[in-house]
Amino acid sequence: MSYWSPQEECLKEVLLTIHESTLTQQQSQRNITHKLNTLSLAPDYIAYLAYILSCDEADDSIRRIAGYLLKNSANTVIRVSPEAVDFIKASLLQAFSDPCESISNVAGLAIVAFLGILEPRGWPECLLQLIDQLGGTDDQQQLAFFVLEKACEDYPGKLNVEIHGGFMLDYVVPTFLLRTEHQNSRIRSHAVACLSNLVPTKPHTVPISAVALLKHIDLFIACLLKCAWDEDPTVRRRVCQALLRLLAWQPDRLIPQLDNIAGDMLFLMKDTQNVVVLEACEFWLTFAEAQELAAYLLPLLPQVAPRLLDCMVYSKEDLLWLDADVEEDAAVPDKDMNIKPRHYSGKTHGLNREGTSEGEGSGNGELMTKKVGAYGKEQLNEVEDVLDDDESDGEDSANEMEGEWNSRSCAAAALEELAVRFGSELYKALQEALTWKLWDAEWTQRESATLALGAVAGGCSKALEPDLPKLVPYLVNALNDPKPLVRSISCWTLGRYASHGWCTQPMSDGLKQIFLIPTMEGLLRMVLDNNKRVQEAGCSAFATLEEDAGAELAPYIEPVLRSLVLAFHKYQAKNMQNLYDAVGMLANAVRGGLQEPKYVDTLLPLLLGKMKVKDHDKHLIPLLECLASVTTAVGKAMCPYSEPVFDRCVNIARASMAQYQTYQQNPDLDEPDKMLLVFALDLLSGLTHGVGMQLKLAMENSQPEFFQLIMLCLKHPQAPVRQSAYALVGDLAMSCFPMLRPHMPEIMQELILQLDPEPKMEFISACNNAAWSVGEVALRYGRDDPEFRPWVQHLISRLVPILLHPKAPRSLHENAAVSIGRIGLMHPSLVAPLLPEFAQAWCQALYEIRDNEEKDSAFRGLCTLVQANPMGITKSLLWFCNVIVRWNTPSSELNSMFETILTGFKAHD
C-alpha cells in the first residue's frame, strides 16, 4: 500500500505563502490571495495544508491558518488521489487530538467540512473516534461534541449511518440525553444543542435524522424543562432554542406540558443574561406566528404581554453602546465608517390598485448591503476570510447596536405579531401595564411603552381608536422630552400612526387641529433637533407622514419647506441622506403644489448646489433620487435649471459607462457602483417628464450623443441599468417623442428582446419597464402607423405569453395588459384575431386598477378589439362585464364604447 508524503520544495512554498499572509498590507494580501489560488490548482494542495496543520513543530499561528484554509478548501477533496485523502483524514484526526485548544478546534471545523463532502459513511474511522470520545474524559467529550454539534446542524440526515450493526443516531441520541445531566456545564450545553439541531425545520415531517429523536421526544422535553433552570446561561439559552424548534416541529407534543413550558419561558424572560431573554422572546414570537396555536396562546396573554413589555426596556449595556447621555451632537461631523451603504432599486413603473395609496408601485429605496461582484456573484477574499474567522475585534458593534436583533427588538416584534393575531384581546391584556409605564418617572420605562404603542399600532387599530385623542397629544408632547431616545422613539411611533392613516386620513378642520397639524409641527421640530439620532427618526417619520397624507399637505408646503431648507444647513453627511428622502417624498406627495416660483426658487438652487461634487461621489445617489422626484413635481418650472442638470446627468452616465467598460476589460478592478448610473437615468426621466421638448437643444448638443448613450444603457449587463433606461424610453415617448422617433428602430430591437415571458428574478423590473414603455411608444406613433406596424406581431407574441404566465408578478401582468390594449387601440386589425387567447387574463390583470388615463386608453383598446372581433370576447364576457362595473369615472369616449358594446350584445342575446 502506497502512502502520501510531501515534497520538500512544494512544502516550503506553501509554508512561505502562509507566513506572508500574516502581513497587513492590502496589496500584499491581494498578492498572497493570488498565490494561494494558484497553489490550490495543484492536486495535492490540501494534503500539504493537512500536513502543516498536524505538524507540531510548526508555529501555532501558521498551523491555525493552514487549518482554516483546509476547511475552506474541503470541496476540492474529490479531485485528490486516494493516498492523499487517507493522509488528510489521518492528519485531521491527529490534529483533532492536539493539546493546543486552538489547533484542535480548527481541526474540528475542518473535520465537519470534510465529513460533509466525504459523507460519514465514507469516513467511519472518524465516527468511531467521536463515539469513543463521548465516553472519555471531559476534554475528550467536549472535543467530540464540538464536531457533532456542527455536524448535527449542517447535515443531520447523513449522520444516520450503520456502524457495528446499528445506526449511529440510535446510539448517540440516548447518549446526548444522558449528557444533559452531566456535571460539566459545557457538555450539558453541547448535548442540548446537538438534540436541538436534530429537530427538523419543516413542521410535522419526520426525516430519517429525526426518527431516533422522535422515539425519545417525551424524555427530551422533560430534560429541557429540567435544564431550563440550569445555572449556566448557555444551557438556558439552548433550552429556549430547542423548545422553539420543537414548537415549530411538533407543537402537539408540547401542548400537554404547555403550562410548565410557559412558566419556564416567562421565568427566563427575566434572566440576567440578555442572550437568554432574546431566545425566550423568540419562543413567544414563534408561538404568535402559529395561527393553529392561537387558542392555546390566548389564555396566556395577560401574563405574556406585560412580560414582553418589560423586555423592551433598554438595558444598561444598550445605553452604553448607544451613547444615551449625548444630548447634542448635530455639529459633530460623521465618519465615513458610520455611514452605512445604501443601495436602492431604480425607477419601476407601476399602476395604482384599489386600496393602495396614490403613487404606490413606483418602487424606490430597497436597502441592500451585501457586496456583490459582476453578474451578482459574491466577491470573497480567502485569506482575509480566514483571518476574520481567526480574529474578530467587534469594532463596528457600536454602529450596529441600534439596529441589532436583540431581546428588545424581538419582544417588540412578538408584541406586534400578537397584536395582529389577537387585536383588542392583546390590547386589553397590555393596557394596564402600558398605562403605568407611559406615566412612569423613569424615562427608560416611558420609552419602552412608547415603543410598544408603535408596535401594536396596526394590529390593535380598532381597540386604540377611542384612545387616540389622548395618545396622539401624549406622543406629540413626548417630543419635548429631554432624553433624545424618548424623542426618537416618539417620532417612530407617530410615523407608525401616520402609516395607518390615523393622523393623515381626510378629516374635519377640528380633527386636523388634534391630529395632523400637531403631529406635523412636532415632527418638523424633530427634523431640526440638535441630536442626530432624533433628526434621523424625525426625518423618517415625517417622510412616512408625507407619503400617507399626500395632497393633504398642500396647504402646509411653505412651513414644511422652510424647516427642510433649514435642515440642509444643519445636517451632517449621514442624515443628509434621510433629508433627501423627505424632500423627495414631499415632491411625490404634493406634486404640482411645488410649482409655485417661490418654492422652486427656494429649493432648486439649494439642491443643485449640493451637486458640486465629483461624478463618482457616493453622496450623489440619494441627491439624484431626490432631484428626480422634485423635477417631476415642479414640471415646466424646472426649465431655467434644466440644461445644467441634463448635462450633469449625461456626464455622470458617460463616466459610469466608461468605468464599467474599463472594468469589463480588467475584472480584477473593483466593480463600479451602477447605482450612480441608475439614478442619473432616473433624473433624466424626471427631467424629460417635467420639461419635455424644452430639452431639445440640450439633447442635440450633448456629448456623447444622447441617444447613443441610451442605447449603451439598454444593452448594459446589469438589469437595474436597463430597468431605468427603459423607464427613460417611456418618458421620452410621452414628452419628447419627436426626438425619440428617429432612434426607435434601433431601440425597438432591444426592447423586444427584453420582453421575456419568463424573466429571471433580477430581470423582472427591467422587463416590467420595457412592457410599459412599448405601450407609450405605440400611442405616440398613432393609428395604423406604417413604421410601427411591422413590430406589432413581435411585440404581441411576447406580451401575450407574459400576460398568460401564471408565475409572472402582478405588476408585469398589468403593464403587459395595458400595452396590449394600447397596441390594439392603434392596430386593431392585427391584434383582434388574437382576442380569444388573452381576453379573460387581460380583464383579470386590470380588475383592481384605479381609474386613470393609462387604464382608460388600455380599455379603449380592448373595446376597439371587441368591436373588430365580437366573437373573441364571448367566452370571457362575464369577466368583461365585471371589469366594466369596476369603473367609477370612465372618459366620455370610453363610456360610449361600453354602452355600444353592451347594447349590441344585449340585442343579439
Side-chain angles (χ1 to χ4, degrees), residues 527 539-540 542-543 546 564 577-587 626:
V527 167
C539 249
S540 177
F542 190 75
E546 290 173 317
L564 297 180
Q577 299 178 350
N578 300 309
L579 183 57
Y580 289 140
D581 291 344
V583 172
M585 195 60 70
L586 176 67
C626 171

Side-chain angles (χ1 to χ4, degrees), residues 269 281 284-286 288-289 301 303-312 405 407-423 425-427 429-431 434 437 448-460 492 496:
M269 290 169 75
C281 291
W284 295 113
L285 177 58
T286 301
E289 290 170 342
L301 290 182
Q303 299 167 274
V304 175
R307 193 61 56 83
L308 286 170
L309 185 57
D310 289 338
C311 293
M312 292 159 63
W405 183 248
S407 57
R408 168 185 161 88
S409 52
C410 182
L415 200 61
E416 180 176 19
E417 191 65 36
L418 288 171
V420 172
R421 180 75 62 216
F422 297 105
E425 294 289 340
L426 183 276
Y427 188 57
L430 186 66
Q431 195 168 15
L434 190 61
K437 284 182 181 286
S448 65
T450 305
L451 170 60
L453 277 177
V456 303
C460 296
W492 178 80
R496 292 275 291 178

Side-chain angles (χ1 to χ4, degrees), residues 355-409:
T356 62
S357 60
E358 192 68 34
E360 191 171 316
S362 300
N364 282 313
E366 183 179 348
L367 295 177
M368 296 168 58
T369 57
K370 182 189 289 185
K371 182 183 178 184
V372 294
Y375 313 111
K377 184 177 180 181
E378 289 189 59
Q379 293 177 324
L380 300 176
N381 182 314
E382 185 175 22
V383 172
E384 290 173 3
D385 289 346
V386 165
L387 297 177
D388 287 343
D389 281 342
D390 190 35
E391 191 173 339
S392 175
D393 58 12
E395 181 181 346
D396 294 330
S397 296
N399 301 326
E400 299 296 331
M401 185 68 189
E402 198 165 359
E404 183 185 351
W405 183 248
N406 53 26
S407 57
R408 168 185 161 88
S409 52

Side-chain angles (χ1 to χ4, degrees), residues 236-308:
R236 299 196 298 272
R237 177 171 65 89
R238 287 178 161 171
V239 166
C240 292
Q241 292 172 334
L243 286 171
L244 187 153
R245 297 185 71 162
L246 283 173
L247 182 69
W249 178 46
Q250 294 282 340
D252 294 345
R253 306 302 289 264
L254 291 185
I255 296 304
Q257 294 283 351
L258 187 56
D259 288 343
N260 292 329
I261 292 170
D264 287 347
M265 289 296 115
L266 290 167
F267 171 76
L268 292 171
M269 290 169 75
K270 295 193 295 183
D271 201 278
T272 56
Q273 300 293 318
N274 285 332
V275 289
V276 178
V277 178
L278 170 59
E279 297 300 338
C281 291
E282 288 266 19
F283 176 85
W284 295 113
L285 177 58
T286 301
F287 207 154
E289 290 170 342
Q291 186 174 354
E292 68 276 11
L293 299 178
Y296 300 101
L297 183 53
L298 180 60
L300 299 172
L301 290 182
Q303 299 167 274
V304 175
R307 193 61 56 83
L308 286 170

Side-chain angles (χ1 to χ4, degrees), residues 641-781:
Y641 307 95
S642 60
E643 284 200 26
V645 174
F646 179 90
D647 291 342
R648 185 64 191 278
C649 289
V650 169
N651 286 338
I652 291 171
R654 173 190 53 77
S656 296
M657 289 301 300
Q659 282 183 324
Y660 203 86
Q661 288 169 351
T662 302
Y663 164 73
Q664 287 180 310
Q665 294 165 3
N666 188 0
D668 290 337
L669 297 174
D670 290 335
E671 184 177 10
D673 189 350
K674 61 181 176 292
M675 298 315 294
L676 264 173
L677 175 55
V678 165
F679 279 106
L681 293 171
D682 287 350
L683 179 49
L684 287 169
S685 280
L687 204 57
T688 302
H689 191 81
V691 304
M693 288 299 292
Q694 299 292 327
L695 287 173
K696 182 173 184 286
L697 188 61
M699 290 183 186
E700 290 174 341
N701 294 335
S702 68
Q703 293 296 328
E705 204 276 329
F706 178 59
F707 288 96
Q708 289 180 0
L709 193 60
I710 291 177
M711 280 304 305
L712 289 174
C713 293
L714 292 176
K715 297 176 180 180
H716 199 282
Q718 294 287 348
V721 177
R722 299 199 304 276
Q723 170 186 331
S724 292
Y726 283 113
L728 177 55
V729 169
D731 283 320
L732 285 166
M734 293 171 66
S735 306
C736 302
F737 187 65
M739 299 294 295
L740 177 68
R741 181 165 183 161
H743 306 278
M744 273 313 302
E746 189 178 8
I747 289 173
M748 188 60 76
Q749 294 179 27
E750 297 301 320
L751 202 155
I752 291 171
L753 291 175
Q754 189 66 66
L755 296 174
D756 187 350
E758 294 189 50
K760 294 179 180 179
M761 182 63 68
E762 62 268 27
F763 297 164
I764 286 174
S765 292
C767 184
N768 191 70
N769 284 357
W772 164 72
S773 64
V774 80
E776 295 293 344
V777 170
L779 282 184
R780 272 67 195 181
Y781 265 102

Side-chain angles (χ1 to χ4, degrees), residues 429-454:
L430 186 66
Q431 195 168 15
E432 183 179 353
L434 190 61
T435 302
W436 277 106
K437 284 182 181 286
L438 285 171
W439 297 102
D440 198 291
E442 174 56 46
W443 73 266
T444 55
Q445 299 292 329
R446 298 196 307 275
E447 193 277 344
S448 65
T450 305
L451 170 60
L453 277 177

